[in-house]
Amino acid sequence: MADRANEPDGQVGFVRRIGLFQATAINMSQMCGIGPFVTIPLMVAAFGGPQAVIGFLAGAVLALADGLVWAELGASMPGAGGSYVYLRQAFQYRTGRLMPFLFVWTAMLYVPLAMASGVIGFVQYLGYLWPDMTQTQGDLTGLGLIVLVVALLWGRVEKMGRITAVLWCVMIASVALVILAAFTHFSPDRAFTYPSHAFDIGDHGFWIGFAAGLTIGIYDYGGYSTTAYMGAEIKNPGRVIPRSIIYSILGIMTIYLLLQIGTLGVIDWKDMLDENNVASSSVASAVLERTWGEGAANAVTVLILVTALASVFTGLLGASRIPYNAAREKVFFRQFGTLHPRHRFPMLGLLAMGAIGCVGFMIGRHTDLATLIQLLTTVMVLVQALGQIAAVTVLRRRQPTLRRPYRMWLYPLPSLVALVGWLVIYGYADRNSPGRHPIEWSLAWFGAGCLAFLVWARHERVWPFGPREISEDFLPPAAEDPGRDAAPDPDADAGPVEPTPA
């Protein structure tokens, strides 16, 4: 009962049924998709050799530091919605609903771009089975796959659980088979022979490669926060959410390191840099071909194609609910809060993200996958990553009586580590995508979001066109904290404030 007493009234319809094992599995299933199968050659290219394993380790460190930010926020505000709930609670005192609106606005871009990267991976591995595929045929295949995923999601939600479970099993099988094949023919000399100056940290080029590798690494670890978005359905969220985040990151780190090292022990890293070599586009298939033969390579490639489909399917399934939940909470355009009259799924969010995913896929196909990853990461950094790091500190000051079942270890050190990591990724983005300008594009999208917010706020008559609405939904009742009423109001000089009904 204690878990439910601290929820907004709008959340009481959820049932807390998901325990620690299920929560960790959910996070890991979202993290372990097509990513490592397509990014190992990108990581090798970034570092210029098998020392590319540094990128996965650095990505794990950033994921753990950022995961502790998610852990404190998710444990103290265990409601449905994740980031936009945290950002609204933290920044409502000065900027009303601006930050949660901008989060949804940026999610409408970076989530479809992430989905598009999975589709590009699908087309790359299809090329192993279809070596004569032309550029146009690949484009049409990818666009058709996105349309297929949208069509599959255009149905009853209760069917999705069974489909997702099957896809997840195939995903795990494909990863396990590649790792097993690699270590049955593993060459330590090939995996651990490094080029000269591989670890020359005094070389500026090393840090440019490190920033690129860190970007790819954190892209591969994406998904560790899934249970935070499901906070209203997690049993004992103060304990389960933090542990599910930490356990899933450590588990996926182990899997990724085995996959990376095993691959480097079979495939010469120089082959991954040769555009005419199959290892540059379908490295897992190349591992199977050199270890267990062409037949096994073809079979596992089919499993990887299903894995790619799974990552796109599950990603769009969850992401299409973000604008819906936000619209229902009155922090985004209300049109996105409409469900299909018969099948009860969010139509507009699904269609919008599907369309943006098609555009992102074509951008990635006609530039490169690394550029697409840089674009989606820079867009996400501005609001969600940096905003949530600030939110932890802001909420500790603004809402000191907020129940915090989990408090960040060694605060504020993890926040600072995460901050440095995200700033490195953002600051080096243009250098790692010369001529593509991911920083400028992210700022343009952010600016467009601010303008969209002003249009929306004017229509809804909220700040800055109306009073700020303070809704401290997760604070304990005043009766439980006698000293709360006596505390000074940090916004006493900020003008009239109207409370929002919970």
Side-chain angles (χ1 to χ4, degrees):
M1 294 300 293
D3 291 334
R4 300 181 69 82
N6 201 31
E7 297 173 5
D9 292 343
Q11 309 287 354
V12 296
F14 290 98
V15 178
R16 297 194 182 278
R17 295 177 174 171
I18 300 174
L20 178 58
F21 176 80
Q22 297 94 326
T24 304
I26 288 171
N27 279 350
M28 292 182 69
S29 67
Q30 290 296 305
M31 296 167 72
C32 188
I34 187 63
F37 292 123
V38 295
T39 58
I40 288 177
L42 298 181
M43 193 76 83
V44 170
F47 281 91
Q51 70 272 22
V53 70
I54 296 172
F56 284 109
L57 289 172
V61 172
L62 177 53
L64 280 170
D66 192 59
L68 296 183
V69 172
W70 280 94
E72 177 165 325
L73 295 172
S76 58
M77 292 174 285
S83 290
Y84 78 79
V85 173
Y86 315 148
L87 296 175
R88 179 176 182 177
Q89 289 295 308
F91 298 106
Q92 61 184 328
Y93 303 97
R94 294 295 183 191
T95 58
R97 304 179 190 180
L98 173 63
M99 287 298 288
F101 181 96
L102 287 177
F103 160 71
V104 181
W105 177 264
T106 55
M108 291 290 293
L109 179 61
Y110 77 74
V111 171
L113 292 183
M115 177 185 71
S117 69
V119 179
I120 290 174
F122 180 95
V123 175
Q124 285 185 195
Y125 274 85
L126 183 62
Y128 181 81
L129 301 177
W130 183 7
D132 297 327
M133 180 174 56
T134 65
Q135 177 77 24
T136 301
Q137 289 171 331
D139 293 346
L140 294 176
T141 299
L143 294 174
L145 179 65
I146 295 174
V147 172
L148 173 63
V149 170
V150 172
L152 289 173
L153 292 172
W154 200 272
R156 291 186 178 276
V157 175
E158 57 264 27
K159 296 179 182 178
M160 304 308 167
R162 294 190 292 271
I163 297 175
T164 303
V166 173
L167 294 177
W168 182 80
C169 290
V170 174
M171 182 189 307
I172 295 300
S174 60
V175 173
L177 287 171
V178 174
I179 292 174
L180 180 61
F183 280 95
T184 57
H185 294 72
F186 183 75
S187 169
D189 289 339
R190 186 178 290 116
F192 302 115
T193 300
Y194 305 107
S196 60
H197 308 296
F199 302 99
D200 185 3
I201 60 175
D203 182 5
H204 184 62
F206 173 87
W207 293 108
I208 294 177
F210 177 85
L214 181 61
T215 304
I216 296 166
I218 199 64
Y219 162 80
D220 284 332
Y221 284 101
Y224 54 83
S225 58
T226 302
T227 48
Y229 284 98
M230 304 171 63
E233 302 167 75
I234 304 294
K235 293 189 294 187
N236 192 7
R239 176 180 180 272
V240 169
I241 290 178
R243 294 189 180 196
S244 68
I245 291 172
I246 295 168
Y247 292 169
S248 60
I249 292 172
L250 294 176
I252 291 297
M253 179 185 70
T254 303
I255 292 173
Y256 283 177
L257 288 177
L258 289 173
L259 186 62
Q260 170 88 28
I261 295 172
T263 298
L264 288 169
V266 174
I267 305 295
D268 190 312
W269 64 270
K270 297 183 183 68
D271 291 344
M272 301 185 200
L273 306 183
D274 182 1
E275 293 183 358
N276 298 318
N277 194 302
V278 68
S280 67
S281 60
S282 309
V283 68
S285 300
V287 169
L288 267 297
E289 183 177 315
R290 296 190 187 185
T291 54
W292 293 351
E294 186 175 348
N298 290 337
V300 174
T301 300
V302 172
L303 295 182
I304 293 173
L305 292 177
V306 177
T307 296
L309 174 62
S311 67
V312 176
F313 181 89
T314 56
L316 187 56
L317 171 63
S320 63
R321 272 66 180 166
I322 293 175
Y324 167 75
N325 288 332
R328 298 284 291 182
E329 293 286 329
K330 299 181 180 179
V331 293
F332 202 60
F333 295 107
R334 62 179 64 188
Q335 292 86 347
F336 283 88
T338 302
L339 293 175
H340 188 280
R342 180 181 175 187
H343 297 306
R344 312 301 295 170
F345 65 89
M347 297 182 296
L348 188 55
L350 181 61
L351 290 174
M353 289 191 170
I356 296 172
C358 289
V359 175
F361 168 75
M362 294 302 292
I363 291 174
R365 282 282 290 173
H366 292 272
T367 55
D368 53 72
L369 180 59
T371 294
L372 190 64
I373 292 174
Q374 290 283 357
L375 285 171
L376 70 92
T377 306
T378 51
V379 169
M380 184 267 290
V381 166
L382 277 180
V383 176
Q384 184 181 46
L386 300 184
Q388 288 191 172
I389 291 170
V392 170
T393 299
V394 170
L395 284 167
R396 286 197 177 200
R397 182 172 64 89
R398 289 284 191 176
Q399 298 186 13
T401 60
L402 179 68
R403 291 192 182 99
R404 291 179 172 84
Y406 168 81
R407 297 176 71 90
M408 181 187 297
W409 300 334
L410 302 176
Y411 173 85
L413 182 59
S415 289
L416 296 176
V417 171
L419 177 63
V420 171
W422 290 119
L423 289 178
V424 167
I425 287 174
Y426 194 81
Y428 278 92
D430 278 1
R431 296 185 185 184
N432 281 307
S433 295
R436 311 297 189 190
H437 308 293
I439 293 177
E440 289 78 1
W441 281 112
S442 68
L443 292 173
W445 187 258
F446 179 85
C450 291
L451 293 176
F453 171 77
L454 292 176
V455 172
W456 173 82
R458 179 79 176 182
H459 182 267
E460 298 291 336
R461 297 182 180 180
V462 298
W463 183 92
F465 303 102
R468 277 173 294 190
E469 300 169 314
I470 306 303
S471 178
E472 298 173 326
D473 296 325
F474 294 90
L475 286 182
E480 296 182 24
D481 182 20
R484 183 179 167 207
D485 290 338
D489 180 4
D491 268 358
D493 60 341
V497 176
E498 296 181 4
T500 299

